[in-house]
Amino acid sequence: MNKYEKDWIDITSGVNVRKCMRCGKCTATCPSFDEMEYHPHQFVYMVEKGDIAPLLGSDSLYKCLTCFACVERCPRGVEPAKVVEAVRLAAVRKQGNNHLIPDQIPAMLDDDMPQQAIVTAFRKYTK
Amino acid sequence: MQVNENFEPVIVAFCCNWCSYAGADLSGTNRLNYPTNVKIIRVPCSCRVNPMFILRAFQKGADGVIICGCHPGDCHYTSGNYFTRRRITLLYSMLDFLGIERNRTRLEWVSAAEGAKFAAVMNEFTEDVRKLGPNRRLEDLRCRKK
Amino acid sequence: MQKIGVFVCHCGTNIAATVDVKAVAEALANEPGVVISQDYQYMCSESGQDLVKSAIKEHNLTGVVVCSCSPRMHENTFRKAAAAAGLNPYLVEIANIREQCSWIHKDIASATEKAIVLGKAAVAKVHLNTPLTAGESPVVKRALVIGGGIAGIQTALDIAEAGFEVDIVEKEPTIGGKMAQIDKTFPTLDCAACILTPKMVEAAQNEKITIHSFSEVSDVKGFVGNFTVTIKKKARYVDETKCTGCGLCTEKCPMKKVPNEFNMGLDNRTAVYIPFAQAVPKVATIDPNYCLMLKNGKCGVCSKVCSVGAIDYKQTDRFVEQKYGAIVVATGFNPIKLDKYDEFAYSWCPDVVTSLELERLMNAAGPNGGTLLRPSDKKHPHTIVFVQCVGSRCDDEKGKPYCSKICCMYTAKHAMLIREKYPDTEVYVFYIDVRTPGKNFDEFYRRAVEQYGVHYIKGMVGKVTPKADGTIDVQASDLLSNEQLHIDADMVVLAAAIEPDKTARPLATMLTTQMDTNDFFTEAHPKLRPVESATAGIFLSGACQGPKDIPETVAQASAAAAKAIGLLCKNSITCNPCVAHSDELMCNGCSSCEKVCPYGAITYQDKEFRMPDRTMAIRRVASVNPAVCQGCGACTVACPSGAMDLNGFSNSQIMSEVDAICK
Amino acid sequence: MQEEMIKRAKELLADGTVNRVLGWKKGEFAYDSTPAVFETAEELERDFVCDDFTQANLSKYLIKESRKEGKILAFLKPCDTYSFNQLLNEHRIIRENVYVIGIPGGPKLDVEKIKAKGISGIISVKNENFTLKIETLYGTETMPFYEAISEKCANCKSKKHVEYDELIGAEGDVLNSKRFDMVEQLENMTSQERYDFWQSELSKCIRCNACRNVCPACTCENCVFDNPKSGIDQKAAADSFEEKMFHIIRAFHVAGRCTDCGECTRVCPQNIPLHLLNRKFIKDINSLYGEYQAGADRTTKCPLTDYKEDDCEPSVVHERGVE
């Protein structure tokens, strides 16, 4: 396990993952659940264990809408969305540039995509 | 600074009756050694220790002053050591502000079961003060021993 | 002129092997005021004590220093010996030359030197010792129990059983508390009313017990053994002595749309009401917020139908003053408000209920007569979802940081009762952990799963959405199978966290007892004194001290009663004489000392003084109640003028020790 | 301003609201206005003054004055109202017997700073467009107004009145002062440098007790230093230990109660920066136990008679800054 990577995520997210009591309310509340391979509670748990590599390679990073429902509802104030965001940033930095360029996005749009997701995508995928 | 090997510091320890004094007794019962330099004064609670007493000790020739009380939350009088902690933190900070060596003062939480900790703390503190040498910055010259 | 005797103990070889006791005795003989300095094999033995006693008599000693083992060991022995010889016991000081000298040092020369210094410090201190007398204060043989729930009732019954008068103060019109609202009790599933109501009746009939229902404590003065309490008896507009509890007024009252608090607002009551059939005292109460007569002066039906003339619209709050020796706090708990948990739709969906509401829905005396029906359309629910830990185990901003302790068990109980009565109903319980420490508790929970087929799912509900067709979409996680579930439920039951009653905080201020940040009363010691508060004479019973189930509450209630009885049995209390006292001439009346006193031992009064300029002035000065003060000394340092000092550990005594050590 | 104050004071005397007025009167020199009690309109007309030199904090006088017969009118500057409030918190002033009129604060002038420019024989000082016109026995001198501002006004913490019955002039705000800069500078020195600094400052002390007598927090009926029973009584400092002892104990006794009014430094004839000791305590309290301003309100608990279960340990003292 990469200690440096875990520390980096702890610092960038500003989240103390050890506060998690494993209730799963974040996952229960997540609107993107079906899209995700790893769910919010898994992000928190895997970061706590330092098991970050699978997360970095997963598509789940980009499925999070950053709607903050999990942050709002977590009884322990763990803020899972911030953990996801930090892992995503770690992945982006690893690649050395943006994961996606804005021009690519219109082609990916479809009618079912929530408005929020589009805004989030613009916010996330460009610097 | 030159360390005087023959320097024997005078150390005053204020111990609360319920935890630290009992902890000191326990280190005796367990025959755990600490230097004779340490002389203990029994007070009902660490919150009984008035800053006047600490200054008085330095005035009369003490080289180090240590206060020992129950661990926070365990005070026999429920809240005494919380007051101690604030008062003594501020006092020590003030002494430091006036340029008094910070290692001459110390506050430790020692429970009635921590005989070993009491001895270890006293050993360590005595050595710290020994390294500093005699108290010159907060002494009363009229009280200096020959 | 001081005449001090010094007695150096060998303790066999315990001291004598590393400390030259003869040298110590000789050195201390030269200290000022010392008239006799002796050493002896075993000072604590009979003959050793005789040595001290005879020296006191022979030399007319004014102070005694014993250089021996720790004062924690034999201080009392030597104090008694001194007292037997006619010397005030507080004129004895111990120099600890065993635990803190001979046992820790090996070098005889330096150990002896240290022993002499310790002896000198004790001699210096004893010069300034003053004779102290342990005061006594009488004990009023009557107890007050605040709160008439199961905790208060049990405590009161136990104290009354021991033969002491007890008053119960209950803020509601009836005693019984939360337990009266509960349907069945875990883990035996017996009916709460069947076991509680006989106790309520017993309390009412016990001639030692006085029940002040619909009353509150409005003021507490005094201290252990001698509290003076003012009880506010709220106006109930019905003469308690005349009302027979026939209930005719409640039938005839035209104002029938008052939310019924006993049924958690799930149905209505009248403006004049008796909370429930088995209420004690069974006396009607008029709710002034709804009564048409009290609001508009037009009605008076109850007064007309009452055959005994008990209705009195002119009644006002009355205040009763009573003296007590002991006070037991049993203010209990309440479920928290759930307004801020939007995700559970509690505020706007009637079919999302709390567990206490479910108790009423299932109770035979409840709004539906014991048939479980949805509040919204009175239909039978086929799928019920239970959500655990709502507001418990949360971050401070999100709820309560503690585990409410009772929810796991009552939820298992509810699930089991529902499955037993309505086998066609599916029950889902979403849990984070199932906590069942208690006798027969885990067996009970396993029975719910294994015999009754309750679906326990490890996970949490994220969102509850009432749908147009009347069902409720429950979106939740199943952590073990890593799934997100959607359940179409008919009812959702929330296990709301419990919190101390709102009246507890102002009460704690009146009683000068301590509370934690969650407003639970703090016990004097978490392990060894769990039913006493740090303030002498105040005891804790039931959930006001922390979340508790019924068996635990009753156990603690009896324990609190035992402690209270122990106090009431005494005719007087001996006080520790090493207490603080204030020099009124120096006191500024600034209240610093009062703020740090954990016992509320310090009070202020305005006194007239002759000032240095020969004028008379009224000044605010502190005085310490020696019966309440425990002698910690926090006030002595808080006092800027040095007016506050501590007997037995005075400023000058401690400084004389400092001087002797540093010399 | 002065005229308005005299007018209002006369009204309140005339309608019987108060029977005395606490303010300042002209001294022998233009710059030594001193606190005074006025009983008649004539006295007010003749002696009452409020100008650039009326610095003295009047709140402490109210301890005695509020215990006398009848109500007294007191003119309090913003900083004085903090002391007033703190004394109310300590039950030292009887509020009903005081009628407080809040008046705008400084900046007030420190005559020592004018004298330091080599200006002597001062007859009058006038502020004309932030230039001081100083008439002296030897002619007229000028200097910038801001160079003569007293220490306590230069680091003013608040221009807001926290307690009053009525106001004259506009109400101000709590300011963002740089009052802790000097404390921080000292903290960043080495232990030896700090020791040398204080050794040279405190050795100037002549134990005149002016700091104690003017301090609105030092209001003890009987000061420990005057009380033989306290064990630390002393009349004059016999050696450097006693100099330090006096000032440490004094600072400790007012810790958590000191409103930082700056009177101690203002009155010190030896110009010892005594306020730094108090500010050190205030700074520590703010950083360790949360922002606290003594006298700011009537409800917040004094940090030394309060605690939190998770307060820092005294080891923070040993771990921070420079040894």
Side-chain angles (χ1 to χ4, degrees):
Chain A
M1 132 185 177
N2 190 335
K3 174 93 174 40
Y4 168 78
E5 214 155 48
K6 176 177 160 29
D7 289 349
W8 191 88
I9 286 166
D10 283 349
I11 292 162
T12 354
S13 65
V15 170
N16 177 7
V17 285
R18 302 187 72 89
K19 277 166 74 181
C20 174
M21 64 166 166
R22 324 227 194 285
C23 71
K25 199 170 179 181
C26 46
T27 294
T29 210
C30 182
S32 299
F33 181 92
D34 296 336
E35 314 285 324
M36 295 173 99
E37 177 190 3
Y38 296 109
H39 305 119
H41 78 274
Q42 288 173 290
F43 268 89
V44 174
Y45 185 53
M46 288 164 80
V47 167
E48 188 186 331
K49 282 196 301 179
D51 194 7
I52 291 157
L55 296 178
L56 287 171
S58 163
D59 234 18
S60 304
L61 285 181
Y62 311 102
K63 303 293 183 189
C64 169
L65 297 174
T66 330
C67 72
F68 279 35
C70 49
V71 173
E72 186 58 37
R73 297 199 182 132
C74 174
R76 308 288 302 170
V78 178
E79 307 179 307
K82 292 192 182 173
V83 177
V84 177
E85 185 74 7
V87 178
R88 194 190 65 79
L89 261 174
V92 169
R93 297 216 174 164
K94 261 191 156 51
Q95 287 154 0
N97 51 30
N98 279 334
H99 187 67
L100 216 61
I101 47 175
D103 295 347
Q104 291 175 301
I105 292 172
M108 295 171 155
L109 294 177
D110 64 51
D111 292 344
D112 294 337
M113 185 172 283
Q115 185 111 28
Q116 200 175 10
I118 302 169
V119 177
T120 309
F122 276 114
R123 198 166 78 221
K124 277 189 197 174
Y125 297 155
T126 59
K127 276 182 185 164
Chain B
M1 188 190 288
Q2 202 178 345
V3 179
N4 181 356
E5 290 298 331
N6 297 325
F7 166 59
E8 286 300 340
V10 174
I11 289 170
V12 178
F14 292 97
C15 291
C16 86
N17 182 44
W18 306 95
C19 286
S20 308
Y21 195 88
D25 279 354
L26 183 63
S27 67
T29 313
N30 292 341
R31 309 296 197 273
L32 300 167
N33 203 285
Y34 58 86
T36 53
N37 310 55
V38 179
K39 314 282 194 307
I40 296 170
I41 293 177
R42 183 164 69 128
V43 286
C45 175
S46 56
C47 69
R48 177 67 187 92
V49 180
N50 196 310
M52 291 193 310
F53 304 161
I54 299 167
L55 296 178
R56 175 77 158 218
F58 283 122
Q59 176 184 21
K60 298 288 174 172
D63 301 295
V65 174
I66 180 166
I67 299 168
C68 299
C70 311
H71 285 267
D74 292 348
C75 177
H76 180 79
Y77 305 101
T78 63
S79 55
N81 53 5
Y82 289 124
F83 294 119
T84 309
R85 185 160 61 179
R86 283 201 169 184
R87 291 168 183 165
I88 299 302
T89 303
L90 290 173
L91 179 75
Y92 285 179
S93 178
M94 176 55 72
L95 293 179
D96 178 50
F97 188 62
L98 294 174
I100 314 303
E101 302 93 332
R102 44 179 76 162
N103 284 346
R104 287 201 193 281
T105 52
R106 190 155 164 180
L107 176 76
E108 278 291 340
W109 310 124
V110 179
S111 81
E114 293 175 327
K117 179 176 177 186
F118 186 87
V121 164
M122 291 306 154
N123 278 315
E124 192 185 298
F125 186 60
T126 310
E127 278 326 296
D128 284 351
V129 176
R130 198 191 300 275
K131 270 182 219 150
L132 288 172
N135 163 32
R136 289 285 175 258
R137 291 186 186 174
L138 199 58
E139 72 169 339
D140 192 329
L141 285 171
R142 295 166 298 175
C143 302
R144 189 189 277 198
K145 277 162 284 193
K146 285 296 141 228
Chain C
M1 180 61 199
Q2 292 274 11
K3 284 186 246 157
I4 294 162
V6 176
F7 304 91
V8 186
C9 180
H10 296 210
C11 197
T13 56
N14 276 307
I15 294 172
T18 25
V19 170
D20 183 347
V21 283
K22 294 241 183 284
V24 173
E26 275 164 31
L28 294 179
N30 298 326
E31 283 296 290
V34 174
V35 291
I36 176 171
S37 184
Q38 293 180 305
D39 61 285
Y40 188 71
Q41 200 75 22
Y42 287 104
M43 212 49 100
C44 61
S45 67
E46 275 301 313
S47 46
Q49 290 185 48
D50 286 343
L51 201 70
V52 178
K53 286 181 201 166
S54 59
I56 291 172
K57 286 179 191 148
E58 191 182 324
H59 296 272
N60 246 335
L61 295 182
T62 58
V64 166
V65 168
V66 185
C67 301
S68 62
C69 53
S70 171
R72 297 170 56 85
M73 190 78 98
H74 277 307
E75 189 172 51
N76 259 338
T77 314
F78 294 114
R79 277 184 177 169
K80 274 187 195 152
L87 183 72
N88 185 289
Y90 293 90
L91 297 174
V92 175
E93 281 298 324
I94 310 287
N96 184 345
I97 61 166
R98 190 178 78 175
E99 281 85 348
Q100 295 178 7
C101 189
S102 70
W103 276 355
I104 43 171
H105 306 308
K106 295 193 181 78
D107 176 48
I108 293 176
S110 60
T112 305
E113 198 186 327
K114 177 173 173 178
I116 292 169
V117 172
L118 294 176
K120 282 180 177 172
V123 171
K125 186 180 180 191
V126 88
H127 265 283
L128 299 164
N129 279 20
T130 47
L132 300 175
T133 321
E136 287 201 341
S137 82
V139 177
V140 178
K141 304 217 170 251
R142 191 183 186 99
L144 171 68
V145 176
I146 305 170
I150 181 62
I153 294 171
Q154 184 64 45
T155 305
L157 284 172
D158 287 351
I159 296 174
E161 182 76 7
F164 297 103
E165 300 278 342
V166 195
D167 292 0
I168 300 177
V169 170
E170 167 59 54
K171 68 178 189 309
E172 301 296 335
T174 171
I175 58 169
K178 289 286 171 299
M179 189 173 169
Q181 292 176 277
I182 294 173
D183 185 29
K184 299 275 191 318
T185 55
F186 61 77
T188 45
L189 293 182
D190 38 7
C191 137
C194 309
I195 55 178
L196 174 69
T197 48
K199 276 199 183 287
M200 290 163 62
V201 173
E202 209 185 319
Q205 287 173 349
N206 193 315
E207 56 189 22
K208 296 275 183 195
I209 298 178
T210 310
I211 298 171
H212 297 284
S213 64
F214 211 53
S215 301
E216 281 165 16
V217 171
S218 68
D219 189 38
V220 180
K221 285 199 178 70
F223 49 90
V224 54
N226 198 1
F227 295 102
T228 306
V229 179
T230 311
I231 299 165
K232 175 181 166 190
K233 293 184 78 93
K234 295 181 279 187
R236 70 196 308 165
Y237 306 103
V238 173
D239 188 334
E240 282 179 50
T241 55
K242 289 183 187 162
C243 178
T244 57
C246 71
L248 195 59
C249 52
T250 65
E251 280 168 36
K252 301 292 181 198
C253 177
M255 181 61 219
K256 297 189 192 299
K257 284 269 158 64
V258 187
N260 184 354
E261 18 331 61
F262 185 72
N263 279 340
M264 304 302 291
L266 293 165
D267 64 355
N268 293 327
R269 61 162 169 84
T270 47
V272 56
Y273 68 109
I274 296 173
F276 57 100
Q278 300 95 331
V280 169
K282 198 165 181 195
V283 173
T285 305
I286 297 180
D287 187 337
N289 296 322
Y290 292 94
C291 174
L292 299 170
M293 186 68 186
L294 289 169
K295 275 173 72 182
N296 313 323
K298 284 182 202 147
C299 180
V301 171
C302 49
S303 168
K304 280 171 211 146
V305 300
C306 182
S307 57
V308 293
I311 307 289
D312 175 8
Y313 298 117
K314 299 227 159 54
Q315 211 177 62
T316 48
D317 294 350
R318 284 182 302 130
F319 292 88
V320 186
E321 203 177 88
Q322 183 64 260
K323 281 190 173 293
Y324 299 100
I327 297 177
V328 183
V329 183
T331 47
F333 72 96
N334 274 309
I336 59 166
K337 283 207 161 41
L338 295 176
D339 313 356
K340 63 175 177 181
Y341 303 99
D342 277 354
E343 64 268 33
F344 296 126
Y346 175 77
S347 335
W348 65 87
C349 178
D351 295 330
V352 179
V353 299
T354 66
S355 299
L356 197 53
E357 288 164 8
L358 183 73
E359 292 281 355
R360 296 315 301 158
L361 287 174
M362 290 169 61
N363 191 291
N368 300 331
T371 317
L372 179 58
L373 301 173
R374 294 179 5 139
S376 62
D377 53 11
K378 304 280 178 204
K379 283 189 187 147
H380 172 58
H382 292 278
T383 307
I384 300 182
V385 171
F386 284 86
V387 187
Q388 298 293 82
C389 300
V390 177
S392 299
R393 307 169 68 189
C394 285
D395 230 28
D396 282 337
E397 304 95 73
K398 307 248 173 156
K400 302 292 175 188
Y402 49 85
C403 166
S404 295
K405 198 170 182 179
I406 54 175
C407 326
C408 285
M409 286 303 291
Y410 69 59
T411 298
K413 173 190 80 180
H414 289 153
M416 203 185 269
L417 289 172
I418 291 169
R419 288 285 295 162
E420 183 167 75
K421 232 170 159 183
Y422 311 103
D424 61 331
T425 301
E426 290 299 326
V427 175
Y428 297 88
V429 178
F430 285 92
Y431 69 93
I432 306 172
D433 301 287
V434 179
R435 295 179 169 176
T436 56
K439 190 174 168 184
N440 293 326
F441 281 15
D442 205 62
E443 297 91 319
F444 183 80
Y445 149 62
R446 289 315 305 166
R447 237 169 56 225
V449 178
E450 293 165 25
Q451 283 179 26
Y452 289 88
V454 178
H455 307 293
Y456 268 79
I457 300 169
K458 158 90 184 145
M460 192 62 181
V461 171
K463 201 166 163 53
V464 172
T465 323
K467 291 195 293 192
D469 66 355
T471 62
I472 305 167
D473 174 48
V474 177
Q475 179 182 318
S477 61
D478 179 341
L479 291 180
L480 295 181
S481 62
N482 201 6
E483 276 180 295
Q484 196 177 60
L485 306 174
H486 285 269
I487 296 173
D488 274 340
D490 298 315
M491 264 181 87
V492 174
V493 184
L494 306 176
I498 60 175
E499 65 181 358
D501 194 83
K502 290 275 176 278
T503 56
R505 170 74 50 187
L507 184 65
T509 315
M510 278 191 260
L511 296 170
T512 66
T513 47
Q514 296 182 323
M515 285 191 136
D516 62 19
T517 49
N518 299 313
D519 280 8
F520 286 116
F521 283 88
T522 310
E523 57 280 10
H525 189 283
K527 286 109 197 167
L528 302 177
R529 297 171 68 195
V531 299
E532 295 156 83
S533 80
T535 308
I538 312 267
F539 305 96
L540 309 174
S541 172
C544 66
Q545 180 261 345
K548 271 179 202 68
D549 58 28
I550 295 168
E552 241 185 306
T553 297
V554 173
Q556 206 206 12
S558 288
K563 286 285 171 190
I565 293 165
L567 169 61
L568 296 176
C569 280
K570 293 179 189 158
N571 289 322
S572 62
I573 312 159
T574 314
C575 317
N576 166 23
C578 294
V579 292
H581 59 92
S582 162
D583 183 338
E584 290 176 343
L585 287 174
M586 289 198 284
C587 175
N588 302 330
C590 71
S591 281
S592 295
C593 52
E594 181 197 20
K595 287 175 193 145
V596 296
C597 180
Y599 308 103
I602 300 168
T603 49
Y604 291 86
Q605 53 204 124
D606 289 322
K607 270 194 178 177
E608 197 166 11
F609 286 92
R610 201 180 146 88
M611 304 300 283
D613 58 0
R614 299 186 178 185
T615 56
M616 298 301 281
I618 292 172
R619 286 174 38 218
R620 184 177 191 266
V621 290
S623 65
V624 181
N625 186 331
V628 184
C629 175
Q630 306 284 315
C632 68
C635 52
T636 61
V637 185
C639 178
S641 69
M644 202 55 97
D645 209 346
L646 188 64
N647 286 340
F649 293 95
S650 69
N651 286 337
S652 52
Q653 282 176 313
I654 296 176
M655 280 198 266
S656 71
E657 284 183 89
V658 169
D659 293 355
I661 287 172
C662 298
K663 215 183 270 171
Chain D
M1 176 60 57
Q2 185 177 319
E3 280 62 49
E4 202 179 332
M5 287 160 70
I6 294 174
K7 181 168 160 277
R8 186 69 187 126
K10 284 202 276 188
E11 282 169 19
L12 288 166
L13 273 179
D15 70 12
T17 310
V18 300
N19 64 5
R20 286 157 298 141
V21 177
L22 178 59
W24 302 267
K25 72 172 181 191
K26 286 178 198 127
E28 200 164 328
F29 302 103
Y31 48 80
D32 64 351
S33 317
T34 58
V37 174
F38 304 86
E39 288 183 359
T40 61
E42 295 71 48
E43 284 174 29
L44 282 168
E45 279 294 344
R46 192 176 65 227
D47 294 328
F48 187 94
V49 65
C50 179
D51 59 19
D52 288 338
F53 291 104
T54 49
Q55 277 200 69
N57 183 343
L58 299 181
S59 55
K60 187 174 185 177
Y61 298 92
L62 292 169
I63 297 172
K64 286 235 164 66
E65 288 300 329
S66 76
R67 277 159 214 277
K68 290 182 182 164
E69 196 66 30
K71 203 163 182 172
I72 187 166
L73 164 64
F75 288 105
L76 298 183
K77 304 189 295 297
C79 49
D80 304 350
T81 62
Y82 282 82
S83 310
F84 180 72
N85 224 3
Q86 181 62 25
L87 286 166
L88 289 177
N89 284 339
E90 295 172 13
H91 310 276
R92 302 291 284 151
I93 292 177
I94 300 169
R95 182 68 181 90
E96 301 81 66
N97 290 346
V98 187
Y99 190 90
V100 177
I101 296 187
I103 56 166
K108 303 281 180 185
L109 302 179
D110 180 354
V111 74
E112 295 300 324
K113 291 197 173 173
I114 300 175
K115 287 180 179 170
K117 293 269 180 185
I119 301 171
S120 58
I122 301 166
I123 296 166
S124 75
V125 180
K126 277 211 179 67
N127 175 12
E128 284 175 3
N129 263 336
F130 300 107
T131 303
L132 289 181
K133 222 170 177 183
I134 304 151
E135 298 289 339
T136 75
L137 293 171
Y138 317 104
T140 308
E141 303 262 7
T142 56
M143 75 178 278
F145 177 79
Y146 284 106
E147 287 181 18
I149 292 177
S150 69
E151 204 290 330
K152 72 186 233 178
C153 292
N155 286 311
C156 179
K157 63 179 178 296
S158 171
K159 291 205 172 292
K160 186 178 162 225
H161 297 82
V162 288
E163 177 77 24
Y164 56 83
D165 293 306
E166 65 176 80
L167 279 180
I168 292 182
E171 178 67 310
D173 285 321
V174 176
L175 306 179
N176 234 337
S177 80
K178 296 201 156 103
R179 56 185 174 137
F180 298 121
D181 286 5
M182 184 59 194
V183 177
E184 204 172 313
Q185 214 174 311
L186 277 165
E187 283 171 346
N188 291 331
M189 291 180 179
T190 65
S191 177
Q192 182 69 46
E193 283 166 348
R194 279 201 297 272
Y195 175 73
D196 293 341
F197 173 85
W198 284 111
Q199 186 69 12
S200 75
E201 288 294 344
L202 294 180
S203 61
K204 294 190 286 193
C205 177
I206 53 171
R207 266 313 286 284
C208 66
N209 285 332
C211 52
R212 182 186 82 185
N213 295 351
V214 78
C215 175
C218 269
T219 63
C220 285
E221 298 286 332
N222 191 348
C223 176
V224 284
F225 289 103
D226 292 342
N227 174 13
K229 277 196 278 178
S230 75
I232 56 163
D233 64 309
Q234 24 164 289
K235 289 282 170 263
D239 77 339
S240 85
F241 173 82
E242 291 200 336
E243 288 155 3
K244 288 188 205 107
M245 170 94 161
F246 175 75
H247 292 290
I248 296 170
I249 296 287
R250 209 187 81 76
F252 188 81
H253 278 179
V254 302
R257 302 163 56 228
C258 167
T259 61
D260 200 7
C261 74
E263 288 285 274
C264 43
T265 300
R266 182 180 70 84
V267 300
C268 181
Q270 296 293 82
N271 296 320
I272 304 171
L274 291 168
H275 64 282
L276 292 178
L277 295 175
N278 302 324
R279 279 193 189 154
K280 168 66 178 167
F281 272 133
I282 297 172
K283 183 170 180 282
D284 276 347
I285 288 169
N286 283 348
S287 66
L288 300 175
Y289 309 122
E291 290 286 325
Y292 173 78
Q293 173 60 55
D297 60 56
R298 300 291 309 278
T299 49
T300 315
K301 276 184 162 180
C302 164
L304 267 99
T305 56
D306 195 19
Y307 64 86
K308 287 208 183 72
E309 284 167 15
D310 54 356
D311 278 338
C312 59
E313 295 294 328
S315 52
V316 293
V317 176
H318 299 81
E319 283 152 11
R320 70 179 174 200
V322 191
E323 163 68 55

